[in-house]
Amino acid sequence: MSNEFQLIREVSPGTTGWTVKVVVAEKFSPRIAKKNPTKYQNLILMDSEGSTVQATLYDQNITSFQEELILGKTYLISNTLVKLTSADYRAKSGDVQWTISGRTRVRHIEENNSNILIFTYSFNDLEDLPKYMDSNIDISK
């Protein structure tokens, strides 16, 4: 395998033959879609520049990749479905989403990621939360 990897920003719908080295920066709990019985799980993947992309697993792929995509670990990922996504379906900012399926190639590599995984927290007053309910507004700014 080549040692040359693309960055997240270099992968867009229609890009072929790419491999990106990423860290699983966030891993959400599996959920059921609002409008149908589809089960999904969102991940946030981060590259060496700190760029992020939302990756989504559906149904049986959640179980298939459960032991493979571990929070804080580094992976080489290729062959995901890359598509534009509307704001209604985004877990984070950005207009591209990767769908991880049985065709996706995922290979764990050993790296120390303590230098790039710095978690930050911001707090909001509880009385402000009702105005953000049922919306996709990012209140972390």
Side-chain angles (χ1 to χ4, degrees):
M1 177 173 272
S2 170
N3 285 335
E4 195 165 314
F5 310 112
Q6 284 70 35
L7 297 167
I8 288 172
R9 65 178 165 76
E10 297 173 319
V11 178
S12 59
T15 305
T16 60
W18 57 269
T19 299
V20 177
K21 182 167 71 169
V22 296
V23 174
V24 178
E26 294 182 57
K27 189 171 184 178
F28 297 83
S29 296
R31 301 183 72 178
I32 303 291
K34 291 179 184 176
K35 297 180 181 176
N36 60 51
T38 302
K39 191 174 183 181
Y40 68 94
Q41 181 175 28
N42 289 321
L43 308 171
I44 303 300
L45 306 176
M46 182 187 315
D47 66 16
S48 60
E49 285 189 337
S51 297
T52 60
V53 66
Q54 174 182 320
T56 304
L57 299 107
Y58 294 97
D59 297 320
Q60 75 276 4
N61 290 311
I62 296 169
T63 305
S64 298
F65 287 97
Q66 180 176 336
E67 301 297 323
E68 204 164 354
L69 293 166
I70 307 296
L71 187 64
K73 300 290 184 182
T74 303
Y75 299 91
L76 299 178
I77 296 184
S78 58
N79 202 31
T80 69
L81 172 63
V82 179
K83 62 182 179 179
L84 295 175
T85 186
S86 72
D88 295 342
Y89 300 103
R90 293 182 196 151
K92 289 284 185 178
S93 60
D95 57 356
V96 174
Q97 172 185 328
W98 295 359
T99 300
I100 297 175
S101 69
R103 293 180 165 178
T104 302
R105 295 182 59 198
V106 176
R107 191 176 114 212
H108 176 252
I109 56 176
E110 289 294 330
E111 284 197 356
N112 179 357
N113 299 312
S114 59
N115 60 335
I116 62 170
L117 285 179
I118 299 171
F119 296 100
T120 59
Y121 299 94
S122 62
F123 299 95
N124 295 293
D125 290 327
L126 287 176
E127 63 257 9
D128 291 340
L129 292 180
K131 66 183 171 186
Y132 299 112
M133 290 175 59
D134 299 322
S135 73
N136 287 328
I137 296 172
D138 185 0
I139 63 173
S140 65
K141 295 178 182 179

